[in-house]
Amino acid sequence: MTTDAHVDPGTEARRRTEADPLSRYAREYATDVIHLNGNSLGPPRASLTGELDRVVSGQWARKHVRAWFEDGWLDLPRTIGDKLSPLLGAHPGQVVVAGETTSTTLFNALVAACRLRPDRALLLVEAGAFPTDLYIADSVARLLDRELLISQGFDDDLRERGPEVAAALTAPVDFRTGERRDIAATTAACHAAGAISVWDLSHAAGVLPLDLAAARVDLAIGCGYKYLGGGPGAPAFLYVPDRLQSLVDFPLTGWHGHARPFEMGPTFDPATGIDRGRTGTPPLLSLIALDHALDPLLDVGIHELRRRSLDLGEYFLECLAYRRPELLRGLASPRDPERRGGHLALRVPDAEAVESALLERGVLVDARPPDLVRIAFAPLYVTHEQVWRATGALSDSVEGLR
Ligand SMILES: *Cc1c(COP(=O)(O)O)cnc(C)c1O
């Protein structure tokens, strides 16, 4: 360890835990494992059941359909969007949580992006994109009669074929390796080519500071259940900057995206502003859970969240170097922490075997077969002591599988 050689590493882990003011948040979360899987599904806050009971018993059971109007339910897609904005570097009125999955939200955004460039043939997506992004992009290209380019070298393809590109879909964090892509630079390259930039923020939101407005991003979407902690199947968010809000033509034209939904007229007249991104009646209880999950993240602020996540990740590598340095040869993520998102990936001989051996030891990680184990450093429910113990469990697991 780089710290004082005379200090016992377990004591040092405890010292670091006590020294970081964010460690106190760990008590708020209900999890009986060392939870290093926050890039997949974050754990609930212990207070969530009380919050849901407040809404179910106090609002739904008592006011019934009136609660949509009297308890702010109808506005929640936008109020949660505004609440999320500081985490995304967006301004109020630019983010909505319509109640859709990440996949449907991406579909909505990609079609709208292509419709903004009707005269261009290409839809560009990175080959390493999350599978659903590839599938949705493929469907959008077929639907709109465009050509899909699944790019092995995104920056080169954008440079060479830029004038043909209608929309380019990228992510600020590679879901496998955690490697970052610079939002401002990539968006600027898209704009230089005249293309619409679409971002999938699923692996970044809530752990990495984003600067959507400053970077002049065109459209962005992301998951609610990963680092944001909104719960299983939490709805996704959609970002549209002011300058595009009156121009985007979404394919999902549900009545909640109408300018006057309760007139119930026969033709669709899109709402002005971010409400245009809404679709139908949203899953209210899931919105409540997402709203509740955001409070501690906003309390702490995205820069502090990032600081701690980086610190935990670096400490993990330090502990691993102490316990079993040969495992570091399998690091599949950039060694420079600034070039990583909230997780890192290690190559091991059998990822699924390591995942289950770790779970037997109380440590939750995520296997990407055949050989990748992903380890996420969500800042509010992972502590330095847990990281120290997790590296011990990892070392034992690998030893046990030999
Ligand atoms: C997790 C994730 C998704 C998931 O899509 P769902 O519709 O929520 O299942 C999509 N894209 C990326 C980049 C993801 O990381």
Side-chain angles (χ1 to χ4, degrees), residues 39-40 100-106 129-133 170-171 173 175 200-204 221-226 233-236 374:
N39 62 323
S40 179
E100 299 290 339
T101 67
T102 319
S103 302
T104 45
T105 308
L106 178 62
F130 193 88
T132 210
D133 296 43
T170 46
V173 177
F175 84 99
D200 188 333
L201 311 175
S202 294
H203 267 79
I221 61 110
C223 259
Y225 51 79
K226 290 174 177 163
R374 299 186 305 169

Side-chain angles (χ1 to χ4, degrees), residues 249-325:
D249 177 10
F250 290 115
L252 299 178
T253 46
W255 69 305
H256 281 229
H258 195 285
R260 296 164 308 281
F262 292 96
E263 277 184 13
M264 304 207 169
T267 52
F268 185 73
D269 177 12
T272 53
I274 193 67
D275 280 336
R276 180 173 297 202
R278 296 184 61 168
T279 53
T281 308
L284 198 274
L285 297 179
S286 292
L287 288 179
I288 296 290
L290 175 58
D291 190 30
H292 183 71
L294 294 179
D295 290 330
L297 300 179
L298 290 160
D299 252 15
V300 169
I302 191 63
H303 294 283
E304 266 296 284
L305 293 170
R306 171 68 170 166
R307 176 202 54 79
R308 174 146 165 133
S309 177
L310 281 182
D311 194 46
L312 290 166
E314 284 301 281
Y315 185 55
F316 177 89
L317 294 175
E318 219 177 283
C319 293
L320 208 56
Y322 175 84
R323 294 202 195 252
R324 197 167 284 274

Side-chain angles (χ1 to χ4, degrees), residues 207-275:
V207 76
L208 185 67
L210 300 167
D211 52 0
L212 301 187
R216 295 188 60 75
V217 163
D218 295 315
L219 294 166
I221 61 110
C223 259
Y225 51 79
K226 290 174 177 163
Y227 293 107
L228 294 181
F237 62 85
L238 167 72
Y239 165 84
V240 187
D242 298 8
R243 68 194 150 82
L244 291 181
Q245 286 179 358
S246 61
L247 302 176
V248 283
D249 177 10
F250 290 115
L252 299 178
T253 46
W255 69 305
H256 281 229
H258 195 285
R260 296 164 308 281
F262 292 96
E263 277 184 13
M264 304 207 169
T267 52
F268 185 73
D269 177 12
T272 53
I274 193 67
D275 280 336

